């Protein structure tokens, strides 16, 4: 078995973390990473011992790399192509046709929502992406709920394997970034939200929830990530009068240390599969407020290890934040984080990720013989 993982290489969010942590579990000759951009993703993969090949595009519409990929697959005798993301999935159609390779994907987001707010071009790309997703030989769903979503698209459930995301859980918390370096004080109630600045991530719902909380107890929000709507979000915080409470930190490589400096972790997405960011928060013993997406209810027990609220419901989100603040005042929030850590570390390990992924690969190869 030899697997080629194909992804654009421009990702900065959970899919990037997922791919790198997954490939670290396989040997250099078993799994190879192919990206379409040289940059931080490729550098991080190499630093983690992953063989990484760059098939550079002059633009996202440059299709000249397709024949190079075909030649690479044939010359290296890959048996499985594992694509990640809409562009890689589209390219997979051609690569499958030319090589006959066994083709699988991990769907990291709802393909129907990948190109929201992108106009007519977005509608075209969405249609192409939905077409590609239905052409694979096998699928990885990172929660049972997301497996059902794929089946609702008409995909045969027998082709889908639920494989929970995993991370390396540590025995101790990370050393927190000093709060003053992040623009907050020791006495502040601090929220950390690690997410691309993209419409689907629901940042504005969090802003509205914060606005609904009395200014005297209003929390501070650390936003980790970058993306296409940064300027739009900055304008929204100004409009709501939240400038002094929302801190745009950009892309950071010290996410663990930022979570360790926070009191609460947030997810407000309209759609997700199973966010790695929540596992990273759990590893730092930080309770979570999350929207009810993907497999989050398989991790967060409402009222015990965090709060699960309806999607796009700013009022419910604000109430969850108020409850978290009360728990902090009563000295109970830290205990919630410890319970979350114990549960997550026993269920979402890298070992289970590797074993389940390898088993699906082998099952599909046997089926093709």
């Amino acid at each position: 078995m030899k697997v080629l993982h194909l992804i654009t290489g421009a990702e900065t969010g959970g899919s990037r973390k997922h791919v790198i942590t997954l490939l670290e579990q396989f040997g250099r000759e078993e799994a190879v990473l192919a990206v379409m951009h040289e940059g931080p993703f490729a550098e991080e993969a190499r630093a983690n011992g992953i063989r990484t090949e760059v098939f550079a595009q002059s633009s996202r519409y440059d299709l000249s790399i397709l024949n190079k990929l075909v030649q690479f697959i044939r010359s290296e005798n890959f048996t499985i192509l594992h694509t990640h993301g809409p562009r890689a999935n589209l390219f997979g159609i051609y690569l499958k046709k030319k090589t006959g390779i066994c083709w699988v994907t991990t769907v990291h987001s709802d393909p129907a929502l990948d190109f929201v707010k992108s106009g007519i071009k977005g509608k075209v790309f969405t249609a192409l992406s939905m077409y590609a997703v239905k052409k694979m030989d096998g699928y990885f769903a990172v929660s049972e709920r997301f497996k059902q979503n794929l089946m609702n698209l008409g995909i045969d459930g027998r082709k889908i394997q639920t494989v929970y995301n995993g991370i390396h859980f540590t025995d101790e918390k990370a050393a927190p970034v000093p709060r003053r370096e992040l623009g907050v004080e020791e006495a502040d109630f601090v929220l950390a939200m690690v997410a691309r600045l993209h419409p689907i991530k629901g940042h504005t719902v969090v802003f509205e929830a914060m606005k609904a909380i009395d200014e005297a107890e209003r929390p501070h929000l650390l936003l980790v990530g970058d993306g296409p709507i940064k300027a739009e979000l900055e304008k929204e915080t100004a409009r709501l009068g939240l400038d002094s409470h929302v801190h745009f930190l950009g892309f950071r490589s010290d996410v663990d240390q930022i979570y360790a400096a926070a009191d609460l972790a947030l997810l407000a997405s309209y759609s997700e599969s199973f966010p790695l960011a929540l596992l990273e928060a759990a590893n730092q013993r930080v309770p979570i407020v999350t929207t009810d997406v993907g497999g989050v209810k398989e991790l967060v027990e409402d009222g015990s290890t965090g709060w699960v609220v309806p999607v796009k419901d700013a009022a419910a989100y604000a109430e969850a934040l108020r409850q978290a603040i009360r728990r902090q005042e009563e000295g109970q929030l830290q205990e919630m984080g410890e319970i979350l850590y114990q549960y997550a570390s026993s269920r979402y390990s890298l070992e289970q990720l590797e074993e389940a992924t390898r088993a699906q690969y082998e099952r599909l190869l046997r089926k093709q013989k």
Side-chain angles (χ1 to χ4, degrees):
M1 177 176 64
K2 190 173 181 180
V3 186
L4 177 64
H5 287 257
L6 178 63
I7 191 168
T8 66
E11 292 79 1
T12 60
S15 57
R16 167 178 169 173
K17 183 73 172 179
H18 174 90
V19 171
I20 289 177
T21 53
L22 174 61
L23 267 66
E24 284 180 312
Q25 311 313 305
F26 288 76
R28 283 179 61 88
E29 298 307 315
E30 279 188 303
V32 177
L33 175 63
V35 298
M36 305 171 207
H37 300 275
E38 184 60 77
F41 193 152
E43 292 170 5
E44 183 179 352
R46 293 190 192 100
N48 284 275
I50 299 166
R51 181 185 167 194
T52 305
E53 304 289 340
V54 178
F55 293 82
Q57 289 182 289
S58 58
S59 75
R60 68 176 58 192
Y61 307 108
D62 177 10
L63 303 181
S64 64
I65 67 168
L66 289 176
N67 286 331
K68 295 176 184 176
L69 282 164
V70 168
Q71 293 171 10
F72 186 60
I73 289 169
R74 289 172 173 166
S75 65
E76 296 263 350
N77 295 314
F78 287 102
T79 53
I80 294 175
L81 171 66
H82 191 151
T83 56
H84 304 264
R87 198 188 315 176
N89 289 344
L90 285 173
F91 288 1
I93 297 172
Y94 182 85
L95 300 177
K96 169 72 174 181
K97 181 178 180 180
K98 289 295 183 178
T99 67
I101 193 170
C102 179
W103 178 23
V104 302
T105 190
T106 299
V107 183
H108 296 277
S109 58
D110 186 340
L113 299 175
D114 280 335
F115 301 101
V116 294
K117 289 194 174 183
S118 296
I120 295 176
K121 186 186 296 184
K123 292 180 180 179
V124 172
F125 285 155
T126 296
L128 290 171
S129 181
M130 297 291 283
Y131 174 79
V133 164
K134 296 178 181 181
K135 295 296 182 180
M136 285 86 166
D137 298 303
Y139 305 80
F140 290 100
V142 293
S143 71
E144 285 297 322
R145 183 171 179 173
F146 209 68
K147 177 179 179 177
Q148 186 59 53
N149 289 347
L150 291 173
M151 292 171 66
N152 290 343
L153 293 175
I155 295 168
D156 186 344
R158 291 171 296 183
K159 293 183 176 182
I160 308 167
Q161 174 66 46
T162 301
V163 179
Y164 293 105
N165 271 328
I167 65 169
H168 172 63
F169 285 90
T170 56
D171 293 332
E172 302 292 335
K173 287 182 64 173
V177 177
R179 283 192 167 191
R180 290 204 170 181
E181 291 184 11
L182 300 170
V184 295
E185 301 294 333
E186 291 300 324
D188 292 333
F189 189 81
V190 178
L191 317 171
M193 184 173 179
V194 179
R196 287 181 299 126
L197 304 186
H198 185 279
I200 202 171
K201 297 300 182 178
H203 293 85
T204 55
V205 173
V206 177
F207 297 166
E208 291 171 19
M210 290 175 63
K211 181 67 174 179
I213 296 173
D214 292 340
E215 189 171 358
E217 64 174 11
R218 186 171 293 155
H220 282 254
L221 174 61
L222 306 177
L223 290 183
V224 179
D226 209 341
I229 63 167
K230 180 180 180 181
E232 180 181 327
L233 293 178
E234 289 175 333
K235 288 180 182 178
E236 184 65 6
T237 59
R239 186 185 71 82
L240 294 171
L242 296 174
D243 308 64
S244 61
H245 284 75
V246 178
H247 309 268
F248 289 83
L249 304 184
F251 172 74
R252 300 279 297 227
S253 59
D254 56 350
V255 169
D256 287 346
Q257 289 84 353
I258 289 175
Y259 273 134
D263 299 299
L264 196 67
L266 305 187
L267 184 93
S269 298
Y270 304 155
S271 175
E272 289 280 358
S273 47
F274 191 96
L276 275 171
L278 297 192
L279 293 182
E280 293 171 337
N283 187 39
Q284 299 307 319
R285 289 75 165 168
V286 182
I288 296 163
V289 174
T290 176
T291 43
D292 185 9
V293 291
V296 298
K297 282 187 174 178
E298 296 173 52
L299 173 65
V300 180
E301 183 178 353
D302 192 52
S304 175
T305 56
W307 291 265
V308 181
V309 302
V311 172
K312 298 184 180 181
D313 191 335
Y317 214 103
E319 179 56 29
L321 295 181
R322 292 190 190 98
Q323 290 184 28
I325 292 169
R326 298 286 87 80
R327 294 286 183 96
Q328 174 81 322
E329 293 171 347
E330 296 164 1
Q332 298 175 356
L333 199 62
Q334 185 174 351
E335 181 182 354
M336 293 177 68
E338 289 293 338
I339 296 171
L340 176 63
Y341 168 78
Q342 294 298 330
Y343 177 77
S345 60
S346 68
R347 187 169 183 180
Y348 300 101
S349 67
L350 290 176
E351 289 75 19
Q352 66 79 24
L353 174 63
E354 178 198 357
E355 290 172 6
T357 302
R358 193 181 291 275
Q360 172 74 331
Y361 287 159
E362 293 172 349
R363 187 180 305 115
L364 289 168
L365 290 175
R366 286 196 301 269
K367 192 173 180 179
Q368 283 206 334
K369 288 182 179 178

